Amino acid sequence: ETGVTQSPTHLIKTRGQQVTLRCSSQSGHNTVSWYQQALGQGPQFIFQYYREEENGRGNFPPRFSGLQFPNYSSELNVNALELDDSALYLCASSARVRTDTQYFGPGTRLTVL
Amino acid sequence: GIQVEQSPPDLILQEGANSTLRCNFSDSVNNLQWFHQNPWGQLINLFYIPSGTKQNGRLSATTVATERYSLLYISSSQTTDSGVYFCAGNSGGYQKVTFGTGTKLQVIP
């Protein structure tokens, strides 16, 4: 059974650029959630995707957007990067949309200069 | 949304000691989980425990849903237990999962 994978591991961008982060869910999982974790803080929920549709969103602006594909993998897109977007971005998958354990990937560390 | 407070925020233990970490929720919570985040940032599932008590080796957890708190017990701590421990959950039918403030644990030899 393959766990949750994310790519890339690290990324450096400049302010105003756009970035795409990728996540492959654990085998058999149809729900993917994305989180942002700033240094020294707990993860903050960005949004969740279930069956290729957004299924809940946290307090993040529209420049944070996502996709889920038929194989349940997912992308997180961030436009017009700001310095405060520098963080660890975590993806989690679960087998059921509401009541199940979430399994996290290793994360993508984004630095915005 | 719900508020999640964890205590203590920081904890230093001698190897072999026991500890109890606490998680308080402002409202009833579903899908309560405990995680350990290692120094490289990987979040590891410890327990999925919306209610009751579970044990896994040296770790155990208890959630009292009616009183809106959960406890994580670490016995005979080891240096590999170092890291940050988070609890997390969501409320009602809302998909947003809220993480606690975390407890940073350092186990020294």
Side-chain angles (χ1 to χ4, degrees):
Chain A
E1 187 176 89
T2 306
V4 180
T5 60
Q6 292 186 243
S7 63
T9 307
H10 295 87
L11 201 53
I12 299 174
K13 291 285 189 178
T14 57
R15 196 170 47 181
Q17 285 188 311
Q18 178 265 341
V19 67
T20 298
L21 310 181
R22 295 177 175 82
C23 171
S24 291
S25 59
Q26 187 165 315
S27 176
H29 288 187
N30 59 16
T31 302
V32 173
S33 301
W34 285 92
Y35 296 82
Q36 180 196 66
Q37 186 177 21
L39 199 62
Q41 298 183 19
Q44 301 290 315
F45 177 81
I46 303 175
F47 43 54
Q48 181 185 83
Y49 276 83
Y50 171 63
R51 293 186 176 180
E52 302 178 54
E53 292 193 0
E54 189 178 291
N55 185 49
R57 189 179 184 95
N59 299 325
F60 282 82
R63 60 188 185 84
F64 286 78
S65 64
L67 284 173
Q68 188 180 31
F69 300 100
N71 66 354
Y72 304 129
S73 66
S74 177
E75 286 182 354
L76 165 65
N77 299 292
V78 187
N79 294 322
L81 284 167
E82 301 177 359
L83 297 179
D84 286 349
D85 295 333
S86 295
L88 179 67
Y89 287 85
L90 295 161
C91 164
S93 74
S94 56
R96 289 177 292 180
V97 65
R98 287 190 177 179
T99 57
D100 209 347
T101 304
Q102 290 193 82
Y103 294 91
F104 281 81
T108 294
R109 192 166 296 280
L110 172 65
T111 302
V112 182
L113 302 176
Chain B
I2 58 171
Q3 306 299 315
V4 185
E5 289 187 8
Q6 291 186 241
S7 59
D10 296 280
L11 187 59
I12 300 176
L13 294 177
Q14 201 77 38
E15 198 169 24
N18 303 327
S19 63
T20 301
L21 281 56
R22 186 179 179 103
C23 178
N24 289 328
F25 290 86
S26 61
D27 200 350
S28 59
V29 65
N30 305 322
N31 305 326
L32 197 153
Q33 286 188 256
W34 281 96
F35 297 92
H36 174 218
Q37 189 166 42
N38 65 24
W40 298 271
Q42 176 75 56
L43 275 165
I44 308 296
N45 295 74
L46 298 177
F47 294 101
Y48 174 78
I49 186 164
S51 64
T53 297
K54 289 186 177 180
Q55 181 158 6
N56 185 4
R58 296 183 295 104
L59 302 181
S60 64
T62 295
T63 296
V64 183
T66 53
E67 297 187 20
R68 303 174 187 173
Y69 73 88
S70 184
L71 303 173
L72 177 69
Y73 306 96
I74 304 174
S75 63
S76 304
S77 58
Q78 300 175 359
T79 55
T80 52
D81 295 332
S82 297
V84 183
Y85 290 80
F86 289 103
C87 60
N90 60 331
S91 180
Y94 191 30
Q95 271 64 48
K96 176 183 176 181
V97 173
T98 300
F99 275 72
T101 48
T103 292
K104 186 174 182 180
L105 173 64
Q106 184 180 358
V107 180
I108 56 178

